[in-house]
Amino acid sequence: SKIPRQVLLVLDKKDGGNVYALDGRCFHAGAPLELSDIEDIGGRSCLRCPMHSYRIDIKTGEHILGGANDKKKHGIKKVKSRGMCQRTH
């Protein structure tokens, strides 16, 4: 059966208290993003998916690579985007 679409609202205190809306399930495997942590990756506020640690820019929906975890695992030194993956509203 199909999971109904959920919209997640995220308050970004770092960005003047702006609120951003994204689909509530991760684009990769459908994990519930309301269980995500918010991390700063190269000056971007990102949700870290609780299932596979994908990082999603809350403003743009871009899949972000970089930060300490990716540097250790994949040798990625700079923060970069893999393109818009998560639907924003």
Side-chain angles (χ1 to χ4, degrees):
S1 76
K2 193 171 182 177
I3 299 171
R5 177 168 293 177
Q6 299 172 347
V7 175
L8 177 68
L9 299 177
V10 181
L11 172 68
D12 189 356
K13 293 180 182 178
K14 221 179 72 172
D15 188 26
N18 285 324
V19 176
Y20 299 95
L22 305 102
D23 277 355
R25 299 257 174 203
C26 181
F27 68 90
H28 174 244
L33 292 177
E34 70 267 15
L35 301 176
S36 298
D37 289 327
I38 298 176
E39 297 180 356
D40 181 288
I41 305 292
R44 298 175 182 231
S45 294
C46 297
L47 293 176
R48 183 174 52 81
C49 175
M51 188 179 288
H52 295 110
S53 296
Y54 278 44
R55 290 176 194 87
I56 302 162
D57 185 311
I58 65 172
K59 292 181 188 178
T60 65
E62 291 173 274
H63 175 199
I64 302 299
L65 297 175
N69 192 36
D70 284 334
K71 189 174 180 180
K72 280 188 225 172
K73 284 174 89 173
H74 307 293
I76 298 169
K77 295 176 184 171
K78 292 182 181 177
V79 173
K80 64 181 184 178
S81 170
R82 294 207 53 195
M84 202 278 212
C85 294
Q86 189 74 21
R87 185 175 167 188
T88 57
H89 301 273

